[in-house]
Amino acid sequence: EICKKTIFKNRYKMLVNCDLDILYKNYLAETHCDLCCMPFTEWNDPKYGNKYVKCLDHDHETNEFRNFLCNSCNIKRG
């Protein structure tokens, strides 16, 4: 668990105005996409592939966190 948290914090350290410890706890607790409401799946899900894998959506210009989205909604949002 400590290793996963460290990887998470290193991956998202560019996010501004975020407490990464709290964000990580919320990330673990989220079960459904904030836009399409589909339940999140694991990578390479046999039925859906990577379509509903959990992502942290953020603004690429300001680096501000926006939502927990599935991979599909995150790609559509850009």
Side-chain angles (χ1 to χ4, degrees), residues 58-69:
H58 67 283
D59 184 300
H60 288 248
E61 290 182 21
T62 65
N63 283 331
E64 291 185 281
F65 169 74
R66 293 188 289 210
N67 299 90
F68 294 105
L69 301 180

Side-chain angles (χ1 to χ4, degrees), residues 24-61:
Y24 183 70
K25 287 179 187 177
N26 291 339
Y27 173 83
L28 293 177
E30 288 294 322
T31 59
H32 291 74
C33 176
D34 288 340
L35 290 181
C36 72
C37 299
M38 285 294 292
F40 293 123
T41 61
E42 298 296 321
W43 282 102
N44 299 317
D45 180 79
K47 186 173 181 180
Y48 297 110
N50 295 331
K51 187 173 183 177
Y52 298 113
V53 172
K54 190 184 320 184
C55 297
L56 269 74
D57 176 47
H58 67 283
D59 184 300
H60 288 248
E61 290 182 21

Side-chain angles (χ1 to χ4, degrees), residues 8-39:
F8 178 91
K9 289 175 89 172
N10 284 333
R11 184 172 186 191
Y12 296 109
K13 64 185 174 189
M14 83 297 204
L15 295 178
V16 297
N17 301 328
C18 282
D19 180 324
L20 290 177
D21 290 318
I22 293 172
L23 189 63
Y24 183 70
K25 287 179 187 177
N26 291 339
Y27 173 83
L28 293 177
E30 288 294 322
T31 59
H32 291 74
C33 176
D34 288 340
L35 290 181
C36 72
C37 299
M38 285 294 292

